[in-house]
């Protein structure tokens, strides 16, 4: 706290403080309450921090609200909407139901959430994409029940990167999911953030998530795709993806005004 108050006195232009703990909530309630109260009293600058589903409790949320702790946003690592991939590839014992409840608790209490999503994962299969689509549908329907939900939820799409020395890198090389010159040809040449040029099925489904957060009609589009998986395979065709990319690039905001007819 002394370092922060000193930094504030020396650099009054500071607009945000970011804590890079893996989980900012990894404190007992008494310690967390004292931290929030001291921070509000002595610093008061909006904060950004990371949290996990497991430690995001209602007690912690109540402490932040009651103390007036100035949260800019809370980053939560979703990684994927596939429970199988989270469990078997990333070694994370988490559930989609748990993530939905975490996002609901935070957003409904007025805290902004940034969810990290990892895509372009060569270990995923088509059924994992469908499970992710299910999750996006449930997420959107939950968020649409939160007032001004677009203010309280956002996401970042990251390409899965394999780092030498990790078990996942070794497995990817062994199973020929990545080339042996991967470090030189991929790891050293790009960032994890994905752009429109990284156009694949993941990008299209995540794009539908974004559109569904802006316009509720697109939730029905996702439901239609989920009901007829052959349509999901169709939009994964290279020619279709290229067409979607060119259309979006030409007029990226027009989709937010689309109104689909309601079911009779």
């Amino acid at each position: 706290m002394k370092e922060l108050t000193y930094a504030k006195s020396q650099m009054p232009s500071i607009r945000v403080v970011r804590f890079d703990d893996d989980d900012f909530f990894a404190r007992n309630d008494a310690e967390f309450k004292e931290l929030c109260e001291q921070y509000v009293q002595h610093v008061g600058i909006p904060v950004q921090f990371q949290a996990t589903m497991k430690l995001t409790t209602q007690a912690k949320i109540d402490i932040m609200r009651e103390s007036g702790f100035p949260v800019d946003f809370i980053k939560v690592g979703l990684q994927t909407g596939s429970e199988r991939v989270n469990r078997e590839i990333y070694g994370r014992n988490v559930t989609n139901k748990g993530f939905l409840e975490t996002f609901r608790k935070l957003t409904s209490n007025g805290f902004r959430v940034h969810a990290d999503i990892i895509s372009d994962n060569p270990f995923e299969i088509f059924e994992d994409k469908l499970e992710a689509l299910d999750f996006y549908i449930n997420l959107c329907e939950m968020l649409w029940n939160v007032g001004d939900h677009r203010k309280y939820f956002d996401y970042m799409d990251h390409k899965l990167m394999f780092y030498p020395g990790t078990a996942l890198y070794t497995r990817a090389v062994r199973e020929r999911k990545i080339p042996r010159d991967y470090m030189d040809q991929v790891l050293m040449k790009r960032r994890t953030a994905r752009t429109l040029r990284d156009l694949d099925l993941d990008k299209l489904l995540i794009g539908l998530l974004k559109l569904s957060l802006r316009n509720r009609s697109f939730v029905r589009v996702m439901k239609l795709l989920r009901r007829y998986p052959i349509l999901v395979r169709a939009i994964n065709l290279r020619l279709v993806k290229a067409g979607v990319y060119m259309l979006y690039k030409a007029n990226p905001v027009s989709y937010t005004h689309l109104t689909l007819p309601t079911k009779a």
Side-chain angles (χ1 to χ4, degrees), residues 14-257:
I14 294 176
R15 293 292 177 265
V16 66
V17 172
R18 184 173 68 189
F19 293 96
D20 278 334
D21 313 50
D22 287 340
D23 192 339
F24 189 67
F25 290 145
R27 300 165 170 85
N28 64 45
D29 290 350
E31 292 173 339
F32 188 68
K33 184 174 186 294
E34 181 180 7
L35 171 62
C36 289
E37 292 174 346
Q38 290 292 315
Y39 186 91
V40 170
Q41 180 180 351
H42 298 291
V43 184
I45 300 172
V47 300
Q48 302 170 356
F49 62 85
Q50 300 176 143
T52 63
M53 177 185 71
K54 182 178 180 181
L55 297 182
T56 303
T57 64
Q58 189 61 50
K60 294 286 196 311
I61 292 172
D62 290 342
I63 289 170
M64 291 191 295
R65 291 190 62 184
E66 292 168 6
S67 66
F69 192 59
V71 176
D72 182 25
F73 67 75
I74 301 170
K75 181 182 286 190
V76 179
L78 168 64
Q79 318 310 12
T80 174
S82 166
E83 291 185 354
R84 184 195 73 84
V85 174
N86 258 327
R87 181 179 62 255
E88 298 180 12
I89 306 302
Y90 300 141
R92 306 171 75 227
N93 187 25
V94 294
T95 65
N96 287 347
K97 182 179 179 180
F99 276 118
L100 289 172
E101 177 61 15
T102 296
F103 294 150
R104 185 200 64 77
K105 286 190 295 188
L106 290 171
T107 56
S108 63
N109 280 278
F111 293 106
R112 294 173 60 202
V113 173
H114 282 207
D116 277 336
I117 298 174
I118 296 178
S119 54
D120 193 19
N121 181 347
F123 290 102
E124 287 190 346
I125 58 178
F126 184 70
E127 286 69 26
D128 296 320
K129 313 293 188 186
L130 296 181
E131 186 180 7
L133 183 58
D134 276 332
F135 178 81
Y136 296 156
I137 292 169
N138 292 331
L139 174 63
C140 287
E141 291 187 326
M142 181 273 292
L143 289 171
W144 271 98
N145 291 321
V146 176
D148 199 11
H149 66 279
R150 285 170 289 187
K151 176 181 177 182
Y152 295 117
F153 185 86
D154 202 354
Y155 67 89
M156 178 63 75
D157 179 20
H158 300 274
K159 174 182 174 63
L160 176 60
M161 305 292 273
F162 298 90
Y163 296 94
T166 64
L168 194 56
Y169 175 86
T170 301
R171 177 179 174 181
V173 172
R174 183 178 67 248
E175 298 183 17
R176 298 184 178 181
K177 299 294 186 181
I178 57 175
R180 292 192 176 275
D181 61 354
Y182 174 85
M183 185 167 66
D184 181 55
Q185 295 301 315
V186 179
L187 200 57
M188 302 301 294
K189 292 185 177 181
R190 67 160 297 159
R191 299 181 301 168
T192 64
R194 291 186 6 120
T195 68
L196 268 177
R197 292 189 179 278
D198 294 306
L199 198 60
D200 55 18
L201 183 55
D202 288 337
K203 195 67 179 177
L204 292 174
L205 295 181
I206 292 173
L208 274 175
L209 167 62
K210 183 173 185 177
L211 293 171
S212 297
L213 292 172
R214 296 177 180 176
N215 186 323
R216 199 167 191 169
S217 297
F218 280 96
V219 178
R220 295 202 295 274
V221 175
M222 291 198 292
K223 287 182 177 180
L224 180 66
L225 291 174
R226 186 61 187 93
R227 184 175 181 181
Y228 301 104
I230 191 172
L231 296 178
V232 180
R233 294 187 185 276
I235 66 172
N236 196 35
L237 296 175
R238 186 177 184 86
L239 183 61
V240 175
K241 289 188 295 186
V244 172
Y245 170 73
M246 294 303 295
L247 190 61
Y248 187 89
K249 185 177 180 182
N251 192 1
V253 298
S254 63
Y255 303 110
T256 63
H257 304 296

